[in-house]
């Protein structure tokens, strides 16, 4: 079931959309402000975000920009009364997958959502990692350690995907920062990477299982659970 975040300050419209989205098989969470939306994106994983442009504490364009700093994979559809060509182009230039102006037809919106999520499924990676202890599915963004679910953020999945695709080879810090964070020109201090690696290790490692080797001064390497290497 696809997970959707609806960012809409009109509570009547929000409740109506959530009801119809649930009826059509989408697990939907609501947010009424930009602050609440960004907080939920940081703590939860969503396949799609329906984003109003006009919010009580900011605008959806700024929210889109902040979301893209957290995740480059989550699909975004703007919902807005702003129908100027300049606004529509701005939305697409910021990485939106579609731009729907209000008032809109609910069946057409559902068709657009289905089209966007369908493209997402077509492009989703079939890459996964599995051993007797750890299992990671990147297409569904799920992970298990010792049979128990592991909560990973979109950035953490992106980092692990990069390492696993290059298993046995060193991935430099520069490449990681560029691939995970800086595709959209966001400057990130290397300390943020150190913190993320420590956080991931706390989630997936055990006494007998180590997965990420630090190559000091260079980067990191996926070592496929070699318990003797840190």
């Amino acid at each position: 079931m696809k997970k959707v975040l609806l960012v809409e300050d009109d509570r009547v419209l929000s409740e109506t959309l959530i009801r119809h989205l649930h009826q059509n098989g989408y697990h939907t969470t609501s947010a009424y402000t930009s602050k609440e939306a960004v907080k939920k994106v940081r703590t939860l994983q969503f396949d799609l975000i329906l984003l109003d442009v006009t919010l009580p504490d900011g605008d959806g364009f700024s929210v889109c920009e902040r979301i893209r700093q957290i995740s480059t994979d989550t699909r975004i559809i703007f919902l807005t009364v702003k129908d100027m060509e300049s606004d529509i182009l701005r939305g697409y230039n910021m990485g939106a997958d579609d731009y729907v102006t209000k008032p809109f037809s609910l069946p057409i919106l559902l068709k657009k959502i289905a089209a966007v999520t369908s493209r997402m499924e077509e492009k989703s990676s079939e890459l996964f990692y599995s051993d007797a202890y750890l299992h990671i599915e990147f297409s569904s963004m799920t992970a298990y350690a010792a049979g128990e679910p592991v909560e990973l953020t979109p950035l953490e999945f992106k980092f692990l995907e990069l390492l696993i695709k290059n298993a046995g080879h060193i991935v430099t810090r520069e490449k990681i920062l560029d691939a995970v964070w800086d595709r959209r020109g966001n400057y990130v201090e290397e300390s943020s990477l150190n913190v993320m690696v420590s956080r991931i290790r706390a989630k997936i490692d055990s006494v007998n299982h180590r997965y990420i080797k630090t190559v000091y001064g260079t980067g990191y390497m996926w070592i496929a659970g070699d318990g003797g290497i840190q």
Side-chain angles (χ1 to χ4, degrees):
M1 180 179 287
K2 291 290 184 293
K3 296 180 181 179
V4 177
L5 174 64
L6 173 61
V7 187
E8 169 60 65
D9 65 318
D10 184 329
R11 292 180 181 260
V12 174
L13 177 58
S14 177
E15 290 172 3
T16 300
L17 287 176
I18 287 174
R19 183 171 65 253
H20 284 282
L21 287 166
H22 281 165
Q23 289 173 354
N24 284 271
Y26 299 98
H27 178 78
T28 310
T29 302
S30 63
Y32 301 107
T33 65
S34 60
K35 182 177 180 180
E36 184 182 7
V38 172
K39 181 179 179 181
K40 287 187 175 180
V41 172
R42 290 188 182 280
T43 56
L44 301 171
Q45 298 167 11
F46 297 100
D47 300 296
L48 172 68
I49 298 175
L50 299 175
L51 179 58
D52 188 10
V53 170
T54 306
L55 296 168
D57 60 339
D59 67 83
F61 294 125
S62 298
V63 176
C64 180
E65 188 173 26
R66 295 181 68 184
I67 289 171
R68 284 296 179 232
Q69 293 174 6
I70 301 168
S71 172
T72 59
D73 296 327
T74 303
R75 304 302 184 182
I76 297 174
I77 297 178
F78 278 114
L79 303 178
T80 176
V81 296
K82 292 181 176 288
D83 58 359
M84 296 291 290
E85 181 179 299
S86 57
D87 291 318
I88 296 173
L89 289 174
R90 184 182 178 189
Y92 282 120
N93 289 336
M94 296 189 74
D97 294 271
D98 211 332
Y99 194 104
V100 178
T101 56
K102 299 175 182 177
F104 52 79
S105 161
L106 185 58
I108 289 177
L109 175 62
L110 290 171
K111 285 289 186 181
K112 287 179 175 286
I113 292 172
V116 168
T117 55
S118 176
R119 291 198 301 269
M120 179 175 60
E121 289 174 355
E122 290 172 3
K123 294 181 179 180
S124 65
S125 172
E126 295 299 325
L127 180 70
F128 69 92
Y129 176 83
S130 186
D131 63 24
Y133 176 78
L134 180 67
H135 183 82
I136 304 172
E137 289 275 359
F138 291 97
S139 59
S140 60
M141 296 184 75
T142 55
Y144 297 87
E148 296 296 322
V150 176
E151 293 295 328
L152 296 168
T153 68
L155 277 179
E156 290 169 347
F157 273 110
K158 199 72 178 177
F159 170 74
L160 288 172
E161 182 177 4
L162 181 63
L163 288 194
I164 291 172
K165 282 182 176 179
N166 295 277
H169 301 280
I170 300 170
V171 182
T172 65
R173 300 176 70 87
E174 291 78 11
K175 183 175 181 179
I176 293 168
L177 291 172
D178 178 67
V180 178
W181 275 288
D182 291 351
R183 284 177 178 170
R184 297 179 181 270
N186 304 306
Y187 174 74
V188 178
E189 293 183 358
E190 289 196 12
S191 59
S192 299
L193 176 56
N194 298 337
V195 171
M196 184 177 71
V197 172
S198 296
R199 191 168 60 232
I200 293 173
R201 282 174 168 155
K203 295 177 181 181
I204 68 173
D205 283 357
S206 72
V207 174
N208 298 316
H209 299 87
R210 298 288 187 271
Y211 293 94
I212 301 172
K213 177 182 179 180
T214 300
V215 183
Y216 291 99
T218 305
Y220 297 94
M221 181 190 298
W222 184 260
I223 51 175
D226 186 341
I229 304 176
Q230 297 185 7

